[in-house]
Amino acid sequence: MGSIDGTGGLQSSPQKHENFRKGLLGDEKDDGGGGESDSGITLEQILALKERFDSADQDGGGSLDMQEFMDAFGSIINKDGSMTQEQIARLFMQIDANSDGGIDWNEFSTYMLMESQSSGTVKTHQVGNFFLPDPLGKKADPDWFHRESADCMLIDSVGGQYLTASKDGTLRLWTASSMQLAKTIVTGQSWILAMCWLTKSARLVLSTADRRIRFYDIHTWEQVVEVQLQSPAFCVCSWTFGEAELLAMGNEKGEVTVVDISKGLKEVRPTGKEKKQKKRPDYWNDSVTKVVHDGFIHQMEMVEDLGGLVTCGADSAIVIFEYPLQSDPNHKDRIIPRRILKHARGHQKGVKCFQWVVSHKLIVSGGLERQVVIWNPYTCKPVVSLDGHQSGIAKVQVNAEFEQVISLATDGVVKVWDLRNNECVQSLSEGENLREKGARNSSIVYDAARHRLITCGLCPHKWTINPQILNSSTDVTHRSPVVAALYNKNFGHVVTVAEDSEVTIWKPTTGNEVFNFIDQDRDAETFLSAAAFDDNGRRLLTGDHHGRVRVWNFSNGACIKTLVKPTDLYRRQEITGLTMYQYEETRFFAASSWDRKISVWVDDSEDSGTVDPFLQIGGNDDDILSIAFTYPKILATGASDGNINMFDIESGARRLSMTCTKPPSTGNTPRQTGSSPAELSNMQYVEKVIFLEHRNKTVVSVGGDGHIRFWEGVWMETAPQSLSSSMLMSRLAAIVPSGHWPEFGLVETDVDDANQVLVTCDEGGYIKVWDISEYDWQAPSPSQVKATAFWRAHPLTISTVNLIPPPADNPGRGILLLTASADKRVLLWSITGVLVGQFGQAHAWDVDNPSTWVTSQSADILNDVLQGLFSVMNDAKAAEADDEEEERDILQELDDRLRKKPSSSVQFKVSPMKKLPAELPSRKGKKGRDYEVDLLTGDRVYKNAPPKKSAVGEERQRPPMSQYLKHFAKKLDPDNIVGAPAAPDGGAREARVATPNAKGQ
């Protein structure tokens, strides 16, 4: 009998497929009887199959329908009568690659060839690594060394060389094989600050401290042009934009200058004014300069996945902005940044370096704080900080294959960090061979093609990966991060898709691998970004970074067609979502991408090769992160600006838009704690949108603010009463705080077929299961959504989650959860959080036998979290009660004191008032004025004040009169005033001036 699958039926056994193939080929030898092994299909067998196929095509249409297929091959397929009609129908669908309801000769022969050649072997994969020093590095000739430390290093992948640039003004080329000096180029006496490649024009760009940019031909290594700058460029980078090749430079003023190299230079002579101001003219034909940072710019790179340039500077910020540069309307000399990575838990001082981690979609940065910070560029918040260095970080590199970050500190120490557990796995010192002349490691670069790390102080040194670790097997499911793990209901298989285009089919009942294939046409720079099944579950759709969608028969690995779309002006091509739908009699493919458009292709069974889009739908104002379809003709998208847009697929028009506004403070969202309004505004993005088909097509959305939102609107089959009595087209029916950890946003959600169970996942790898069986779309309430389990499934963000229903004959087994993550693992869980197993592990499991599962205990921490929360609440209540009791005791004591009788008797005598009491002597005003002001000194001279005893002698009580006071006193003398009457006693006036006052003045 066949094995039990997850759809309520029997899964066809691989042995049945093998019997079918052998029966068709006339090979009935017993495998265990020492017969000759099958070596493939011969030409005679192919001709015999063709003859039998043609004879079965009774209507002459060129293809076999289900009945014709059964009439021709039923006796071979179901020879012993053990296969059910459902299993035969699955085999028919498996051969029918284009899902048109018929099997033509091309599909039939391809399936037979693939079945004949499949081996079923499971590949071994690689694991994490550490580095070993190169023993030959100690024999380096001291004459090869730089005189000063080399701060810049590049890899020449074409010539097989490493380039180092030093403060001594020399550029040196080293062979990658033997690490010997191949060439020395003297650029001058100035420091070399930065360098980069111009791949299109085959040039090397050098920036020096004497405010010059030099261009070298990489074939002859001769300088071809030299340009004077107004300020030295401390960092440079280049990229191509259409037909143009661009060069960007950053200086100490925080300015970024972007130059179109393809338009060349212009001959300019400095004017008299420029000579007088010692200002150098602009030599570029096409350039633009804008202010990005407040201070030095230390590094810049073009990251196409983020849609623009990324820079870091001394103002402790990492800025992401688009090209062409957009000017700030209020400050024409500044740009409008797309995102700014600056946070209280991030860098507080200058940022020296950063790297983009393609596999994890994260930014790794280092600065003066002695820690490596990992950022989520979409939320502009740090994910984690890696502590361990004893000095500031100078350089960072990424080993994407092994999920590692390599950091170099200013003290020369190199540390290797594992991104899966955020731990330091190795520390590398410069060694005795690199300590010549007191030099330290000053630059690093990771050579992924040769699996080595290159460190450089005065000369480069090679660190190779341990061969035992490099060649060992691992416990991961794929060699690269997993894009999607999908459960196919028709075939009862699990299909996993990795970034490197590897597709593997698994049996969820045992975890065994059935078949796998890769895209042979993929180049090294193409990565898959999305995957989905078609509406019938017969074909697999995959989307990549270059905007291509490929349609596969995942049963045999055949590519049916490739769907392409026009290139966006900004080359925002990455596919972010895939779906398929049918309208009237036509079926369509739909894909969302970073260009904020939805591309639609017609699914024509006659198409092959490359197919252009039938329609492109606009209307989204920001990046599209999710796409979903519901019948009859509604297509929904979730965007990074927090909007959910509904489109009519017939006209392509946007029918309505719903905005995920900031939740009220009573929503108890964990992400509101300690968050500024500007920070919260970046967390409203919508990561996933789904329709609850059995809840009147209620829309559920999740995103970065940690909330689950339920929406209702005019797309529903039955209009809600709340909308019938108003003019609204949609409204937010309920909002539920997810209760995930505050630092992680929600990234994925899924629901079972009956809309009874909802699952949410976050970027920290946590999963929460919700019971929505009581959710009433007619009277929605957040209390109808209840959490049942919460656990951490992966150490990194979860890419997809799928719910696998129980079989019809064993409903007690319960729903299973299928999770995939950037940690390269695909896991199978029970609904309560018990780990069944990992796809690709050494031992198989029996999904119906819990004793064969990896763990027997649940990883659920929901009760612990709730108990901890209740404990905190109880402690707070207890403390509050204690405070209230203490306050009552104090009030009671005060009351007792007021009410307490005096110890001795006190008699009060009250006499009647017969006349007013005499007025008490008092001064008028707040204070009587019993002093005079000395006109000479401005001091107060009190009339009745007793003389103060001075600590100094009597002869020193009056300070000497200044010349100004003497002159002022002379001017006041009436004898010097013309026309003044004569004083009766002039000596008295002189005595008044000469006599000191009461203060001794």
Side-chain angles (χ1 to χ4, degrees):
M1 295 294 290
S3 59
I4 301 295
D5 70 356
T7 61
L10 292 174
Q11 178 183 338
S12 57
S13 169
Q15 185 63 36
K16 298 299 180 182
H17 289 241
E18 182 68 15
N19 294 339
F20 168 57
R21 185 184 64 81
K22 289 185 177 183
L24 290 177
L25 301 179
D27 184 10
E28 298 295 340
K29 295 180 181 180
D30 185 6
D31 293 341
E36 186 176 348
S37 62
D38 184 15
S39 59
I41 302 179
T42 63
L43 178 60
E44 292 78 8
Q45 292 171 334
I46 292 177
L47 293 176
L49 285 175
K50 177 61 173 164
E51 182 179 357
R52 187 162 190 166
F53 185 89
D54 293 338
S55 62
D57 185 12
Q58 299 177 1
D59 56 4
S63 63
L64 306 181
D65 57 20
M66 175 68 79
Q67 188 59 43
E68 292 175 336
F69 178 75
M70 286 298 302
D71 293 342
F73 304 106
S75 58
I76 301 175
I77 297 174
N78 201 16
K79 182 183 298 184
D80 56 358
S82 60
M83 291 186 67
T84 64
Q85 290 294 327
E86 184 179 357
Q87 290 176 337
I88 298 175
R90 285 181 182 172
L91 178 60
F92 179 86
M93 290 188 294
Q94 199 167 353
I95 302 174
D96 181 17
N98 59 4
S99 305
D100 60 354
I103 300 176
D104 57 20
W105 170 247
N106 182 37
E107 293 172 333
F108 186 79
S109 59
T110 301
Y111 175 80
M112 294 303 301
L113 287 171
M114 296 299 296
E115 283 293 319
S116 177
Q117 295 173 2
S118 60
S119 61
T121 58
V122 180
K123 297 182 179 181
T124 58
H125 303 303
Q126 298 175 349
V127 292
N129 65 330
F130 58 89
F131 297 97
L132 299 178
D134 181 17
L136 298 179
K138 297 183 179 181
K139 301 180 181 180
D141 191 345
D143 295 336
W144 297 347
F145 295 167
H146 286 281
R147 295 192 303 273
E148 300 288 343
S149 60
D151 295 334
C152 307
M153 186 161 46
L154 290 176
I155 302 175
D156 181 8
S157 57
V158 178
Q161 301 177 112
Y162 301 115
L163 280 71
T164 58
S166 171
K167 296 178 181 178
D168 60 7
T170 62
L171 174 68
R172 308 199 179 201
L173 282 66
W174 310 79
T175 59
S177 57
S178 60
M179 301 300 295
Q180 295 183 354
L181 180 64
K183 190 177 184 62
T184 300
I185 302 172
V186 179
T187 63
Q189 299 298 324
S190 297
W191 290 6
I192 299 177
L193 302 176
M195 61 180 178
C196 70
W197 297 109
L198 295 177
T199 54
K200 187 175 181 179
S201 56
R203 297 286 189 269
L204 176 68
V205 181
L206 286 181
S207 171
T208 55
D210 57 355
R211 300 189 294 181
R212 297 176 185 270
I213 287 286
R214 295 175 170 86
F215 296 83
Y216 289 84
D217 189 325
I218 64 174
H219 302 295
T220 61
W221 295 110
E222 295 180 354
Q223 181 175 319
V224 293
V225 69
E226 178 181 303
V227 181
Q228 293 182 346
L229 304 176
Q230 298 180 6
S231 299
F234 287 87
C235 56
V236 292
C237 72
S238 67
W239 72 97
T240 57
F241 186 75
E243 298 297 327
E245 188 170 24
L246 304 175
L247 174 67
M249 300 170 287
N251 59 24
E252 78 281 3
K253 302 177 183 177
E255 298 175 338
V256 171
T257 301
V258 181
V259 180
D260 189 346
I261 298 298
S262 57
K263 295 186 178 180
L265 303 172
K266 58 184 178 182
E267 295 184 2
V268 178
R269 293 183 179 180
T271 63
K273 183 178 180 180
E274 290 175 344
K275 288 181 178 179
K276 186 177 181 180
Q277 296 178 354
K278 297 182 180 181
K279 182 179 179 181
R280 301 186 180 186
D282 188 3
Y283 292 93
W284 311 106
N285 273 326
D286 187 355
S287 66
V288 59
T289 300
K290 297 293 179 183
V291 178
V292 179
H293 291 270
D294 297 328
F296 279 85
I297 300 179
H298 296 298
Q299 184 181 344
M300 59 171 52
E301 292 291 340
M302 168 58 72
V303 181
E304 295 184 358
D305 291 340
L306 296 176
L309 274 168
V310 183
T311 61
C312 66
D315 55 357
S316 71
I318 301 174
V319 182
I320 305 172
F321 55 96
E322 295 180 350
Y323 180 83
L325 305 182
Q326 300 180 8
S327 299
D328 190 339
N330 300 323
H331 304 279
K332 297 297 184 181
D333 60 334
R334 303 187 72 93
I335 57 99
I336 299 178
R338 188 173 185 180
R339 296 184 182 94
I340 298 179
L341 276 61
K342 191 172 183 179
H343 196 271
R345 291 188 286 110
H347 296 285
Q348 302 300 318
K349 301 178 182 179
V351 185
K352 301 287 292 185
C353 53
F354 69 88
Q355 282 290 324
W356 168 245
V357 186
V358 178
S359 58
H360 294 69
K361 300 295 186 295
L362 299 171
I363 288 180
V364 179
S365 63
L368 303 178
E369 291 88 2
R370 306 180 183 181
Q371 62 184 3
V372 179
V373 182
I374 301 177
W375 299 83
N376 183 341
Y378 304 105
T379 62
C380 302
K381 294 183 63 177
V383 178
V384 69
S385 297
L386 308 178
D387 299 319
H389 279 287
Q390 301 301 317
S391 59
I393 311 301
K395 305 283 184 181
V396 290
Q397 289 286 296
V398 174
N399 182 358
E401 183 180 2
F402 297 93
E403 302 181 73
Q404 291 179 342
V405 172
I406 306 167
S407 58
L408 168 66
T410 54
D411 59 1
V413 177
V414 179
K415 287 186 177 292
V416 184
W417 309 86
D418 192 336
L419 283 176
R420 291 169 293 187
N421 52 26
N422 302 324
E423 294 181 356
C424 179
V425 297
Q426 189 180 7
S427 295
L428 312 176
S429 60
E430 60 271 12
E432 296 180 359
N433 58 318
L434 295 180
R435 293 199 183 106
E436 293 85 357
K437 302 180 182 180
R440 293 178 176 178
N441 289 328
S442 55
S443 61
I444 57 173
V445 66
Y446 179 71
D447 190 352
R450 299 177 178 87
H451 294 99
R452 62 174 65 166
L453 173 68
I454 308 299
T455 61
C456 186
L458 298 180
C459 70
H461 182 67
K462 177 176 62 176
W463 302 78
T464 59
I465 298 177
N466 190 332
Q468 296 180 353
I469 298 180
L470 184 64
N471 300 324
S472 63
S473 60
T474 185
D475 58 348
V476 296
T477 306
H478 285 276
R479 290 184 300 242
S480 62
V482 183
V483 174
L486 310 171
Y487 176 68
N488 191 286
K489 303 173 185 178
N490 293 332
F491 300 104
H493 286 159
V494 168
V495 179
T496 59
V497 182
E499 275 193 353
D500 60 358
S501 80
E502 183 182 26
V503 179
T504 307
I505 294 90
W506 311 84
K507 294 174 61 178
T509 54
T510 61
N512 292 332
E513 180 180 334
V514 177
F515 176 71
N516 83 335
F517 64 91
I518 61 173
D519 186 357
Q520 300 293 342
D521 297 332
R522 168 187 174 269
D523 55 38
E525 297 180 355
T526 303
F527 298 94
L528 298 186
S529 56
F533 288 124
D534 64 358
D535 53 347
N536 293 326
R538 309 271 289 276
R539 292 168 294 178
L540 178 67
L541 313 176
T542 60
D544 60 28
H545 282 64
H546 296 317
R548 295 185 310 171
V549 178
R550 311 203 76 181
V551 184
W552 303 86
N553 181 350
F554 62 89
S555 299
N556 53 29
C559 181
I560 303 172
K561 64 183 83 173
T562 301
L563 314 177
V564 297
K565 67 185 189 68
T567 303
D568 178 56
L569 176 63
Y570 303 103
R571 298 195 301 174
R572 298 172 296 189
Q573 296 292 98
E574 179 177 338
I575 302 296
T576 59
L578 294 166
T579 188
M580 188 177 182
Y581 59 88
Q582 181 174 348
Y583 181 66
E584 295 180 348
E585 300 297 328
T586 308
R587 302 167 70 188
F588 299 91
F589 299 105
S592 60
S593 53
W594 284 126
D595 58 2
R596 305 176 182 178
K597 296 179 181 178
I598 303 172
S599 301
V600 181
W601 297 267
V602 177
D603 181 24
D604 191 346
S605 59
E606 301 297 328
D607 287 337
S608 61
T610 302
V611 181
D612 293 323
F614 161 76
L615 174 69
Q616 279 197 307
I617 302 175
N620 287 280
D621 299 328
D622 214 327
D623 299 333
I624 305 175
L625 304 179
S626 177
I627 186 172
F629 176 80
T630 186
Y631 287 99
K633 55 175 184 176
I634 294 298
L635 197 64
T637 61
S640 58
D641 58 357
N643 287 333
I644 302 173
N645 297 317
M646 298 285 187
F647 296 90
D648 188 328
I649 61 172
E650 183 179 9
S651 62
R654 184 172 68 179
R655 296 190 58 184
L656 59 91
S657 180
M658 303 176 293
T659 302
C660 297
T661 57
K662 177 182 175 181
S665 58
T666 56
N668 296 327
T669 166
R671 285 183 165 257
Q672 291 183 359
T673 304
S675 300
S676 62
E679 184 181 314
L680 268 172
S681 63
N682 294 326
M683 297 190 297
Q684 306 301 326
Y685 56 90
V686 180
E687 281 281 1
K688 190 67 179 290
V689 175
I690 59 174
F691 287 94
L692 302 183
E693 298 293 342
H694 295 282
R695 304 284 177 183
N696 197 22
K697 299 184 183 297
T698 298
V699 172
V700 177
S701 67
V702 297
D705 64 351
H707 283 73
I708 309 171
R709 290 176 170 85
F710 295 80
W711 305 84
E712 58 185 20
V714 295
W715 66 85
M716 304 176 98
E717 295 178 347
T718 304
Q721 186 177 0
S722 58
L723 298 180
S724 302
S725 58
S726 64
M727 300 297 293
L728 297 176
M729 297 184 65
S730 64
R731 78 177 189 96
L732 181 61
I735 179 170
V736 180
S738 67
H740 284 251
W741 298 121
E743 59 269 26
F744 301 128
L746 301 182
V747 295
E748 185 67 19
T749 186
D750 194 24
V751 68
D752 66 330
D753 294 336
N755 296 166
Q756 303 285 326
V757 178
L758 182 74
V759 180
T760 57
C761 308
D762 62 30
E763 57 189 356
Y766 287 89
I767 291 178
K768 181 168 281 191
V769 182
W770 304 81
D771 180 6
I772 60 173
S773 58
E774 298 180 359
Y775 182 80
D776 184 6
W777 64 268
Q778 295 178 339
S781 172
S783 61
Q784 300 167 356
V785 182
K786 302 175 182 178
T788 59
F790 180 51
W791 72 93
R792 191 169 196 176
H794 297 269
L796 299 178
T797 180
I798 295 178
S799 53
T800 57
V801 61
N802 267 201
L803 295 176
I804 302 178
D809 57 350
N810 187 16
R813 189 190 70 187
I815 298 175
L816 299 178
L817 266 67
L818 179 67
T819 63
S821 171
D823 63 0
K824 307 178 184 179
R825 293 172 173 83
V826 180
L827 304 177
L828 188 66
W829 302 83
S830 71
I831 198 68
T832 58
V834 180
L835 179 60
V836 178
Q838 174 182 297
F839 290 93
Q841 67 182 32
H843 305 287
W845 65 74
D846 183 359
V847 74
D848 294 321
N849 185 7
S851 63
T852 63
W853 296 1
V854 173
T855 59
S856 59
Q857 295 182 352
S858 173
D860 182 20
I861 60 173
L862 179 63
N863 293 331
D864 297 337
V865 173
L866 292 178
Q867 289 178 1
L869 179 61
F870 291 151
S871 176
V872 172
M873 293 175 61
N874 292 333
D875 293 343
K877 290 181 179 179
E880 185 178 357
D882 294 340
D883 294 340
E884 291 179 356
E885 184 177 357
E886 183 178 358
E887 183 179 355
R888 286 195 301 269
D889 294 341
I890 295 174
L891 292 176
Q892 184 64 35
E893 183 179 355
L894 291 175
D895 186 66
D896 292 342
R897 289 183 180 180
L898 292 175
R899 295 176 179 274
K900 187 177 181 181
K901 294 182 178 181
S903 57
S904 59
S905 60
V906 179
Q907 296 180 358
F908 297 93
K909 182 178 180 180
V910 180
S911 59
M913 181 77 66
K914 294 186 178 180
K915 63 178 180 178
L916 292 175
E919 185 178 354
L920 296 177
S922 62
R923 298 175 181 177
K924 297 182 180 180
K926 294 183 179 179
K927 188 174 182 181
R929 181 174 176 178
D930 57 350
Y931 61 86
E932 293 180 354
V933 178
D934 195 327
L935 296 177
L936 295 179
T937 63
D939 292 335
R940 296 178 180 181
V941 180
Y942 291 90
K943 300 177 181 179
N944 301 323
K948 295 183 179 180
K949 295 183 180 180
S950 177
V952 297
E954 187 67 24
E955 67 278 2
R956 297 186 58 188
Q957 287 186 2
R958 179 184 177 94
M961 185 180 296
S962 64
Q963 296 295 327
Y964 171 77
L965 291 179
K966 290 180 180 179
H967 181 71
F968 180 72
K970 186 177 180 181
K971 289 291 184 181
L972 290 179
D973 194 341
D975 296 338
N976 296 327
I977 300 177
V978 178
D985 189 1
R989 288 196 303 270
E990 293 179 2
R992 181 184 177 187
V993 174
T995 302
N997 56 20
K999 284 190 174 183
Q1001 297 178 345

